[in-house]
Amino acid sequence: MNKQPLQYTVTPADPAGHYFDLVLKIPEPNRDGQVLGLPAWIPGSYMLRDFARHIIRLQAYCGKDGVEIATEKISNHEWQCAPCNGPLTIKYRVYAWDLSVRGAHFDESHAFFNGTSVFLLPLGYEQHPCLVQLNPPPHTNDWKVYTSLPEAQSREGAAKRHGFGLYEAPNYDALIDHPVEMGNPEVVSFEAFGAEHEIVFTGVLPNIDYERLIADTKKICEAQIALFEPDSHEVPFLDSADRYVFLTMVTGNDYGGLEHRSSTALMIGRHALPVIGQEPGNDYHDFLGLISHEYFHTWNVKRIKPAVFAPYQLFNENHTRLLWVFEGFTSYYDELMLWRSGAISEQTYLKRQAKVITNVWRGPGRHLQSVADSSFSTWTGLYMSNENSPNALVNYYTKGALIGLALDLYLRQESNNTYSLDDVMRLMWTRYGKTFYRGAQNQGVAEDEMPRLIREATQVDAAPFIERYVYGCDDLPLADLFKSQNIRLHWKASQKTPSMDVRTQADAEGLRLATVYNGGVAHQAGLSGGDRLVAINGLRVHDQQTFERALLTCRPEQKMPVHVFRRDELREFKVKLAPPATECHLDKVKN
Ligand code: ZN
């Protein structure tokens, strides 16, 4: 049977009220009463967000004459329509005031949306093709459209590149995987191995050094393409789009991204962008790391997937124990690719790795939870982090990245440098990823499959390694593994400040304890995460600098009065300070 397309119309209707108006036409609805749903979460961000709460009005009209019929909300994210012989037209309004990579946002300056925030799915129509009419806003005719969603080229009313008009997707899964930006952004483009890439910048921009940014991004993209397709240099995203799009929202101080099959949505603080005439620093390397991370997902999670994500369960939590592979390995490779591409030096790479190691080793939660469990529990764990998370959880991004690093070194060592983690990634790519959107027979990595895949790719038995470090809570043997690469891992105190064994966070009101590490001196003294620092040793503390200066007036082992506000109550604790905290260092051994 020829499947008739679902027809959506999106109009950014009210910039001051932040409303999109949507129309959905279902040519042949379920005659007994169509159910409509909006995803409860967005793939890549593992938390129930119930986007349907932003639909503020929904009406259904039956037949060619459009007689209004009843609708009823039947769950947090579903509506039941009264019976209708079709066609069925749904009109609804979506509130769009979430400036994040996960939601929708619209005002007089721009409009941005993810499909999961705006496109209702008629249940049972998951495999129907979709047409999307994108309309301009009422207040300006200057805006253009930026998205990897393909223009409906064979149809009347097809959008021209960057224009309003008709776009299309082969099914609902594709429809919600191409975010859309409308407005007047700055746009630059480049080719990586002949494939087109666009970088779109929205927001108030500094004097961006585009030449540098394009050169670095191109290098990173090409290094990744060469990893997965060393011979053909074929890019992955042409199965779903004619180009890759980086949609970048520039703000005062944000950092984050969300991966899609042929694009990514990024948020970045202005200070991280390279500015003409200035040598960029760590923040810029972090931004390149973000670009590298989301681009790597084009292979690893958007095409090579956990089998349980094929297809995604969009209306409830979709659990997997494999995020140490899909987020952890992606976090390992995002940095490795900065170095391999030449975007950062070896020395900078080792410095950045040492920082990750310090960070992971600081969290006592790593001895209580495995990365496999952290992955499975992320919906209520990592994605609902609180002040105690470092004591209770392990982060499958950071420890997962170190597992990628350790496994890579282990495979190189055990195979006498014949094989590496690259071979594992390439096997997963050819087996599962390459044909995923081209009618693949194999639909993703089974939960227990990694040891088999590693053995097949490298002939190394990594099952005991995975049992111990992925399903167990042991610390990775990084110092030993680094020796084989002539790199020395050691710990030393980087400054003389005595430690309170806490993590602090500055905000407009001053400095608060973000985390009190279990077993540390602040914990023993009775301090708590969330306590707001007032004074140490009688000296006022209101930011990181005054905190460190106050600590410098104390000696380790000395008992110091620490005053904090807990809620509105002033409390005093006596803290016996610890010696300065140590940090990991990675040094190349001359040989
Ligand atoms: Zn990621």
Side-chain angles (χ1 to χ4, degrees), residues 259 293 297 327 397:
E259 66 275 12
H293 182 95
H297 274 315
E327 289 301 348
Y397 285 86

Side-chain angles (χ1 to χ4, degrees), residues 4-9 23-28 87-90 122:
Q4 292 210 50
L6 299 168
Q7 297 167 45
Y8 296 87
T9 303
V23 180
L24 162 60
K25 282 193 180 147
I26 309 161
E28 295 167 328
L88 178 62
T89 303
I90 312 295

Side-chain angles (χ1 to χ4, degrees), residues 181-200:
E181 170 74 26
M182 302 172 179
N184 277 311
E186 294 244 3
V187 185
V188 290
S189 62
F190 64 91
E191 287 188 357
F193 292 128
E196 193 178 352
H197 294 65
E198 250 176 14
I199 316 182
V200 178

Side-chain angles (χ1 to χ4, degrees), residues 268-547:
I268 194 72
R270 213 164 282 120
H271 55 87
L273 296 171
V275 170
I276 290 175
Q278 289 186 24
E279 200 50 40
N282 281 338
D283 293 342
Y284 175 56
H285 294 153
D286 290 345
F287 179 46
L288 291 179
L290 180 65
I291 286 176
S292 182
H293 182 95
E294 304 307 340
Y295 196 72
F296 198 83
H297 274 315
T298 317
W299 292 268
N300 196 35
V301 95
K302 292 315 306 190
R303 287 171 180 77
I304 309 163
K305 290 179 190 245
V308 296
F309 284 0
Y312 290 115
Q313 307 299 310
L314 292 168
F315 297 103
N316 43 270
E317 297 95 335
N318 202 169
H319 298 284
T320 174
R321 289 194 163 79
L322 287 175
L323 293 179
W324 59 278
V325 174
F326 291 96
E327 289 301 348
F329 286 11
T330 301
S331 299
Y332 169 55
Y333 274 104
D334 68 36
E335 289 287 315
L336 186 64
M337 288 295 147
L338 296 190
W339 173 31
R340 205 179 273 181
S341 68
I344 61 173
S345 66
E346 180 181 30
Q347 202 187 5
T348 304
Y349 175 73
L350 290 177
K351 226 177 176 172
R352 291 170 70 84
Q353 287 301 300
K355 221 170 142 185
V356 178
I357 295 168
T358 302
N359 177 9
V360 170
W361 255 253
R362 199 155 278 172
R366 75 189 194 283
H367 292 312
L368 297 176
Q369 188 187 45
S370 70
V371 286
D373 285 343
S374 175
S375 167
F376 189 85
S377 307
T378 188
W379 301 81
T380 52
L382 205 57
Y383 268 92
M384 290 193 179
S385 290
N386 63 18
E387 66 288 338
N388 199 46
S389 294
N391 293 320
L393 309 178
V394 68
N395 184 320
Y396 54 78
Y397 285 86
T398 49
K399 189 178 172 192
L402 296 186
I403 289 172
L405 167 66
L407 189 59
D408 199 0
L409 296 174
Y410 180 72
L411 296 175
R412 287 167 194 268
Q413 182 184 288
E414 296 297 300
S415 69
N416 287 321
N417 279 318
T418 311
Y419 296 109
S420 72
L421 194 60
D422 291 1
D423 296 287
V424 180
M425 296 313 301
R426 278 192 286 267
L427 174 64
M428 291 201 285
W429 170 241
T430 45
R431 177 150 311 157
Y432 294 118
K434 205 167 175 167
T435 54
F436 188 83
Y437 294 124
R438 296 184 161 130
Q441 294 300 307
N442 297 312
Q443 289 282 302
V445 181
E447 293 288 295
D448 60 355
E449 200 180 345
M450 285 312 294
R452 289 201 298 280
L453 284 168
I454 293 167
R455 184 188 271 274
E456 185 180 337
T458 66
Q459 294 164 33
V460 176
D461 178 12
F465 178 101
I466 288 174
E467 196 52 40
R468 185 162 176 193
Y469 303 114
V470 173
Y471 290 90
C473 300
D474 282 3
D475 282 334
L476 290 154
L478 285 170
D480 282 347
L481 288 166
F482 267 123
K483 271 185 206 151
S484 65
Q485 304 294 315
N486 292 323
I487 291 166
R488 187 168 79 99
L489 184 158
H490 60 110
W491 295 81
K492 68 175 184 213
S494 61
Q495 42 195 346
K496 303 225 158 50
T497 324
S499 173
M500 254 174 64
D501 295 331
V502 295
R503 194 165 60 89
T504 55
Q505 197 164 36
D507 59 26
E509 285 177 59
L511 199 67
R512 59 184 192 86
L513 299 181
T515 294
V516 171
Y517 291 110
N518 278 177
V521 293
H523 174 209
Q524 283 160 14
L527 284 156
S528 172
D531 285 348
R532 194 162 283 286
L533 284 166
V534 177
I536 293 175
N537 204 16
L539 297 167
R540 184 183 171 216
V541 168
H542 57 92
D543 58 15
Q544 194 60 32
Q545 196 179 37
T546 47
F547 174 63

Side-chain angles (χ1 to χ4, degrees), residues 79-92:
W79 287 258
Q80 171 77 58
C81 299
C84 166
N85 274 340
L88 178 62
T89 303
I90 312 295
K91 295 184 178 178
Y92 56 107

